[in-house]
Amino acid sequence: GSRFSGWRSEVNVSHLGNLPGGLGIGDVVISKIRRSCGPNRSVAEGDRGTVEGPSTKDPKRMVTCVFSGDVTVDLLPTEVDIELPGGLRVGDVVICKNRTACGARGSIAEGDRGRVIGPSKLDRDSRVACQFARGLVVDLLAMEVNMELPGGLRVGDVVICKNRMACGARGSIAEGDRGRVIGPSKLDRGSRVACQFGWGLVVDLLATEVDMELPAGLRIGDIVISKTAKGSAAAGDRGRVIGP
């Protein structure tokens, strides 16, 4: 068993987030660096591991993490991202799916955008702390928000590939092929999205390499003509599609 198992049960610190960087025992983390740990043993950027406890070498600054292959390494909190419920991470932009009342602090409306700032202090296993406009911080279930991906895309959006993409032995994607966004890229979360195409091929693409397919097959940039009067637009007015 873990060299921290007895200590953990004795003081009951699991998931309390009182380790360096606010991490807790059992937290899933993603390495932000590459680290050699001996012959044929290393941790690569993007590898997932689990926080086992405080570092015995530097318990005030570092945590001990265990990665695949039982590779154990001491890391600074700045060298990992914590994977929060729903696969969210600190800094992710999220969109509230429902109106949420927050008592005297106010409320969040459906569609409001916020940013994930860390794990929930109340329910670390299923909620995340999100900050919305006016500094309002709310603990929300991961299922209560949608993650906004690069280019304003969301999980489930249908996209059309704008260029031919060779994917090595896995095959290729042709211009015009349709796929579906399945989540953030594991390699470049800030600018790419993971898309799955018809034959199960999953590719990380830049948001600029796809067009989002909107209702009725429309795409951003399409010229449209209003069929009815609505607001300040009259029947017959021309416009341009700017998004969903």
Side-chain angles (χ1 to χ4, degrees):
S2 165
R3 60 194 173 99
F4 295 104
S5 57
W7 176 76
R8 179 196 303 136
S9 60
E10 183 178 330
V11 297
N12 193 26
V13 298
S14 178
H15 277 60
L16 290 184
N18 59 354
L19 299 179
L23 293 167
I25 291 175
D27 282 345
V28 175
V29 292
I30 299 95
S31 176
K32 297 165 69 173
I33 62 167
R34 188 182 188 283
R35 176 71 57 82
S36 176
C37 307
N40 301 317
R41 294 167 65 84
S42 64
V43 177
E45 183 179 351
D47 281 357
R48 279 175 169 76
T50 303
V51 176
E52 191 178 52
S55 163
T56 55
K57 298 177 182 177
D58 191 351
K60 292 184 178 180
R61 297 177 58 245
M62 306 183 83
V63 293
T64 297
C65 302
V66 180
F67 291 85
S68 178
D70 203 28
V71 175
T72 301
V73 59
D74 287 352
L75 294 170
L76 294 166
T78 54
E79 294 175 326
V80 296
D81 278 327
I82 182 171
E83 187 169 75
L84 302 170
L88 293 167
R89 298 190 198 176
V90 172
D92 283 345
V93 175
V94 291
I95 299 104
C96 187
K97 295 165 73 172
N98 306 291
R99 184 182 184 280
T100 303
C102 307
R105 296 182 299 152
S107 63
I108 309 165
E110 179 182 350
D112 279 357
R113 280 174 169 76
R115 189 174 297 275
V116 177
I117 60 172
S120 164
K121 294 180 181 179
L122 303 175
D123 182 359
R124 200 176 181 91
D125 290 324
S126 57
R127 293 179 178 268
V128 292
C130 302
Q131 186 172 43
F132 290 85
R134 303 175 302 281
L136 180 62
V137 176
V138 188
D139 283 357
L140 294 173
L141 293 168
M143 67 180 68
E144 293 177 324
V145 296
N146 281 321
M147 186 192 314
E148 186 170 77
L149 302 172
L153 294 167
R154 301 187 195 179
V155 172
D157 282 344
V158 175
V159 292
I160 299 100
C161 186
K162 296 165 73 172
N163 305 292
R164 186 182 183 280
M165 298 280 175
C167 307
R170 296 182 298 153
S172 63
I173 309 165
E175 180 182 351
D177 279 355
R178 281 173 169 78
R180 189 174 297 275
V181 177
I182 59 173
S185 164
K186 294 179 180 178
L187 303 174
D188 183 0
R189 198 176 181 93
S191 58
R192 293 178 178 268
V193 292
C195 302
Q196 185 172 41
F197 290 84
W199 51 101
L201 179 62
V202 176
V203 187
D204 283 356
L205 295 173
L206 291 168
T208 55
E209 292 175 328
V210 295
D211 279 328
M212 187 192 311
E213 186 171 77
L214 303 172
L218 292 169
R219 301 189 197 178
I220 292 173
D222 284 347
I223 302 296
V224 292
I225 300 161
S226 178
K227 296 166 71 173
T228 61
K230 189 170 185 178
S232 60
D237 282 355
R238 281 176 165 75
R240 188 180 298 274
V241 177
I242 61 172

